[in-house]
Amino acid sequence: MTLQKTIDLFQSQGELRIISEPLDIYLEIPHLAYAEVKKEDGGKALLFTHPIDRKSGKRFDVPVVMNLFGSFRRTELLFGREIEGVAEEIEKLLHMKPPQSFKEKIGMLGDLFSMKDIFPKKLPKRGSCQEIVKEGEDASLHDIPVLTTWSEDGGPFITMGQVYTQSLDGDVVNLGMYRLQVYDKHRLGMHWQIHKDSSHFFDQYQRAGKKMPVSVAIGGDPLYTWCATAPLPYGVNELLLYGLIKKEAPKLVKSITTPLYIPEDVDFVIEGWVDPEKMELEGPFGDHTGYYTLQEYYPVLEVSAITHRKDPYYLATVVGKPPLEDKYMGWATERIFLPLLKTNAADLIDYHMPENGVFHNLILAKMKTLYKGHAKQFMHIFWGSGQMSFVKHALFFGEDAPKLSNYEALATYALNRFQPKCLFLSEGITDALDHSSPEALIGGKLGIDLTASLAPQQPESIETAALLEKIAALIPETLNVAQYMRHTANPVTVVSVRKGERSIRERFASLETLERYLRIVVFVDEAKNDLYNPYMLIWRVSNNLDAMRDLYRGNVVVALDGTAKTAADGFEREWPGDVECTPEVVERLKGMGVWDLEEALEKKYQL
């Protein structure tokens, strides 16, 4: 399904909003898309028909398409089937057994016959993505309406590029999605993080002293883009998933100037070569964590050709604070990959990644507990499984727990059985986007075993004002207090502070003197935090927490430091800021009549 057919489908289904006003690729288009996905239903898919670059005066004849995956309904429309049906099919394949009867043999033949179309098919001709070919100096990245999302970004970057690479010997191919900074007309930054397959390929070319071919596709069937995010094992071609889901072979054509094959019906293809001897500072950029990631050196693609359809669209997404379009893309991933995760953890019942945990910061799992330490075993399995190994905080529940997406009921269940001994601390790799760990790429892990039916003692109830006074007497930086889940055995007290030159963590032990009233205490900065907005508090704390450093576990009281870390905390890295919309841009969009997000949602999601 091409982007044009996708747009037609969404328009016929009432799922498309067309913005005909000329809007700037610098902040205006991304800000509006950021507001759209914050709507309760994920808003509509967006088609910007007149993108412009006010700074240069350039008007683009390439429309910008955004928020295609931005709702559960649209995601299933893009898949062409129910997501759960894909998961069931994968589970069936994983558990296929030798047939015992003639009827079973016939049934298996049918299953195997349906598999014939999953393998990519290479075409001996050029594709529709090569209707227009520009090589050398004529191939300019500035002809593509690449967006700049945030005011402190290091420049424009491609957000939904399908990055096609191959191993040095050409035996293994990969489709991934990485941040791609536009440096100038002919150079593109390759933000493939150290744990990613393309980075492993790059290491091979670097050791051999050879340039690495890369082809970046944009658009085409949106499912290609989702496949680029799929957490498949090393060596498995992500386009096999496309064939499995669509029941048709993805049709590929060879790039013009690289040996790589790309889907023939994409909208743009950017081809080039990466010199392993050349690295350049990339960033800073606001990312899907809601924080800026800092500048680091990454490889650079020297563009050799740009090809595209005669009437292409530019597909993009927006990053920042949740909820985002990746909420719905992640939902599909979560459901489809549950059967694969069960191959390593057979007693896993379900798992869920809340979007305000930005996927790698928080995961919830339900399991059938068979023996003592079973949940801890699962923690190790999760932290050793592909992209799941980036997860910082994992909570495990028994099979009698409520549905994992029923947060209120689940929190009540957890807090009525939690004791400090449920906590399990470890250390492991972290996502390159994580800013909280003392050292890049490695940090603390927190597992919480909530599978046992423990009976914690509920503390005495106390008025918030009185509790504030008592905590402030111990930690003078305290400014305010809010109490949550007071009906449970482990009420959660959130404390806002204005930190000084002394770490607040060194006084956490003093909270034990208030064990009569306290159980779980969470500290956050006064600045930029609303104590009565639990959705964004979870986002903030799960981002800022390194469990090995920031967790205090006493006999009764558990305290978490969710504040921004400074030199007073022994933090030596640079602490980034979180992304925020530019007020002047928002007011301009409101003045045009195109910004229609409710003020209550602006406040809730801290735009």
Side-chain angles (χ1 to χ4, degrees):
M1 183 166 60
T2 64
L3 266 187
Q4 181 63 68
K5 289 182 179 179
T6 300
I7 290 166
D8 294 342
L9 172 64
F10 284 179
Q11 192 164 20
S12 70
Q13 296 288 322
E15 289 285 349
L16 183 70
R17 179 185 176 193
I18 300 175
I19 310 295
S20 56
E21 289 84 356
L23 291 183
D24 201 343
I25 59 174
Y26 179 77
L27 303 186
E28 286 184 352
I29 289 176
H31 276 32
L32 192 59
Y34 191 59
E36 186 73 19
V37 76
K38 296 291 188 287
K39 293 177 180 177
E40 293 294 352
D41 58 353
K44 305 288 186 185
L46 297 175
L47 174 61
F48 298 92
T49 57
H50 294 92
I52 62 173
D53 181 357
R54 294 189 197 280
K55 185 177 180 181
S56 68
K58 185 179 180 68
R59 294 180 177 271
F60 296 91
D61 56 5
V62 178
V64 175
V65 186
M66 302 187 75
N67 204 31
L68 290 187
F69 287 92
S71 73
F72 295 115
R73 180 169 185 252
R74 287 201 300 282
T75 297
E76 290 205 323
L77 283 172
L78 293 174
F79 274 74
R81 56 194 296 197
E82 291 184 357
I83 300 298
E84 293 290 353
V86 179
E88 289 169 4
E89 185 174 348
I90 290 175
E91 188 160 29
K92 183 179 179 181
L93 288 172
L94 291 171
H95 293 92
M96 190 176 285
K97 297 178 180 178
Q100 300 298 316
S101 65
F102 180 75
K103 183 178 179 181
E104 288 181 0
K105 289 178 181 178
I106 296 297
M108 178 173 283
L109 281 175
D111 291 336
L112 293 175
F113 185 77
S114 69
M115 297 281 288
K116 69 180 176 63
D117 291 327
I118 76 169
F119 298 98
K121 181 180 181 181
K122 294 180 180 179
L123 305 181
K125 59 180 181 177
R126 288 192 175 186
S128 55
C129 64
Q130 296 162 330
E131 291 172 335
I132 306 297
V133 177
K134 297 178 181 179
E135 298 184 59
E137 286 298 313
D138 293 333
S140 173
L141 293 167
H142 290 175
D143 291 337
I144 305 173
V146 183
L147 309 176
T148 302
T149 306
W150 303 109
S151 60
E152 295 178 36
D153 280 355
F157 73 98
I158 295 170
T159 52
M160 277 194 153
Q162 307 158 33
V163 181
Y164 293 85
T165 55
Q166 66 182 26
S167 59
L168 179 64
D169 58 14
D171 289 345
V172 182
V173 296
N174 181 254
L175 165 58
M177 183 190 290
Y178 315 107
R179 193 168 69 202
L180 307 170
Q181 178 175 356
V182 176
Y183 289 117
D184 52 40
K185 289 182 179 181
H186 307 297
R187 294 185 310 131
L188 199 59
M190 299 281 107
H191 189 260
W192 48 50
Q193 298 150 27
I194 194 169
H195 307 108
K196 306 297 184 180
D197 289 351
S198 289
S199 179
H200 298 157
F201 293 164
F202 177 75
D203 292 342
Q204 296 173 15
Y205 286 90
Q206 194 171 46
R207 286 192 295 269
K210 294 183 178 181
K211 289 186 177 182
M212 175 178 173
V214 177
S215 289
V216 178
I218 301 170
D221 191 324
L223 198 60
Y224 299 143
T225 302
W226 177 82
C227 288
T229 69
L232 286 170
Y234 177 83
V236 179
N237 187 345
E238 285 77 10
L239 287 179
L240 290 173
L241 263 181
Y242 179 93
L244 179 68
I245 294 166
K246 289 283 190 170
K247 301 305 179 189
E248 62 182 58
K251 298 177 178 62
L252 310 182
V253 292
K254 186 178 177 295
S255 300
I256 303 296
T257 61
T258 76
L260 298 159
Y261 281 78
I262 67 288
E264 72 88 19
D265 57 346
V266 296
D267 287 66
F268 284 95
V269 182
I270 302 167
E271 305 176 13
W273 297 79
V274 174
D275 186 339
E277 300 301 318
K278 295 180 180 178
M279 307 283 277
E280 190 155 339
L281 271 179
E282 191 266 2
F285 284 111
D287 217 301
H288 76 101
T289 60
Y291 281 80
Y292 284 93
T293 50
L294 306 176
Q295 286 185 308
E296 284 189 85
Y297 283 94
Y298 276 92
V300 179
L301 177 79
E302 297 280 350
V303 176
S304 54
I306 296 177
T307 73
H308 59 81
R309 304 173 72 97
K310 287 181 180 177
D311 297 303
Y313 292 89
Y314 177 70
L315 178 63
T317 190
V318 67
V319 293
K321 297 172 185 172
L324 299 166
E325 188 176 0
D326 64 8
K327 165 184 176 178
Y328 307 97
M329 297 177 75
W331 163 71
T333 302
E334 175 189 288
R335 295 299 86 204
I336 289 171
F337 280 84
L338 175 60
L340 290 172
L341 193 56
K342 284 182 177 180
T343 61
N344 286 331
D347 299 304
L348 180 68
I349 297 171
D350 199 4
Y351 78 111
H352 175 57
M353 300 177 289
E355 77 268 9
N356 53 339
V358 295
F359 304 107
H360 63 262
N361 282 341
L362 178 62
I363 192 168
L364 313 174
K366 185 186 290 191
M367 61 180 291
K368 184 178 180 180
T369 311
L370 300 180
Y371 42 80
K372 189 176 182 180
H374 201 174
K376 289 184 176 64
Q377 182 187 37
F378 268 41
M379 293 174 196
H380 290 297
I381 291 172
F382 274 50
W383 289 329
S385 301
Q387 292 188 31
M388 196 71 73
S389 59
F390 297 137
V391 171
K392 291 168 60 177
H393 312 112
L395 281 65
F396 287 84
F397 300 87
E399 56 188 313
D400 62 333
K403 189 174 181 179
L404 296 176
S405 57
N406 185 347
Y407 301 136
E408 186 75 22
L410 195 68
T412 299
Y413 172 95
L415 293 171
N416 278 330
R417 57 179 54 205
F418 173 78
Q419 290 182 357
K421 66 180 181 180
C422 297
L423 301 174
F424 178 73
L425 291 173
S426 186
E427 188 177 48
I429 65 169
T430 59
D431 193 289
L433 302 181
D434 179 66
H435 63 264
S436 66
S437 57
E439 182 182 351
L441 304 177
I442 187 167
K445 306 280 190 179
L446 173 62
I448 306 181
D449 179 359
L450 297 162
T451 60
S453 298
L454 303 178
Q457 183 178 354
Q458 188 170 11
E460 289 183 25
S461 181
I462 183 173
E463 291 299 318
T464 299
L467 184 58
L468 170 61
E469 184 178 347
K470 291 180 181 296
I471 294 176
L474 299 173
I475 302 176
E477 295 90 339
T478 298
L479 297 175
N480 208 348
V481 166
Q483 297 186 78
Y484 287 94
M485 308 301 289
R486 298 175 70 179
H487 62 286
T488 70
N490 280 282
V492 178
T493 304
V494 184
V495 182
S496 66
V497 295
R498 187 178 299 148
K499 292 170 67 175
E501 297 181 358
R502 185 183 175 194
S503 173
I504 60 172
R505 289 198 310 278
E506 61 190 49
R507 283 158 291 163
F508 278 0
S510 66
L511 296 171
E512 291 284 354
T513 62
L514 299 178
E515 67 176 41
R516 180 177 173 184
Y517 311 108
L518 297 178
R519 289 299 180 266
I520 299 172
V521 191
V522 182
F523 288 81
V524 296
D525 294 299
E526 176 209 20
K528 299 184 179 182
N529 287 302
D530 177 0
L531 291 190
Y532 300 96
N533 186 345
Y535 180 94
M536 294 306 292
L537 286 173
I538 290 171
W539 165 77
R540 179 79 70 182
V541 172
S542 63
N543 257 309
N544 287 357
L545 196 71
D546 181 273
M548 295 289 285
R549 177 194 61 216
D550 297 329
L551 183 142
Y552 168 80
R553 173 170 49 184
N555 293 325
V556 175
V557 176
V558 170
L560 304 171
D561 181 1
T563 65
K565 304 308 182 295
T566 66
D569 302 295
F571 193 78
E572 297 179 352
R573 300 170 63 194
E574 183 180 350
W575 191 272
D578 49 292
V579 300
E580 293 178 334
C581 289
T582 302
E584 297 82 2
V585 173
V586 174
E587 290 306 311
R588 189 158 63 241
L589 293 171
K590 288 180 177 178
M592 294 179 187
V594 293
W595 180 289
D596 59 358
L597 184 66
E598 297 175 12
E599 286 190 17
L601 292 177
E602 285 186 42
K603 182 178 180 181
K604 176 180 179 180
Y605 296 124
Q606 298 178 358
L607 272 66

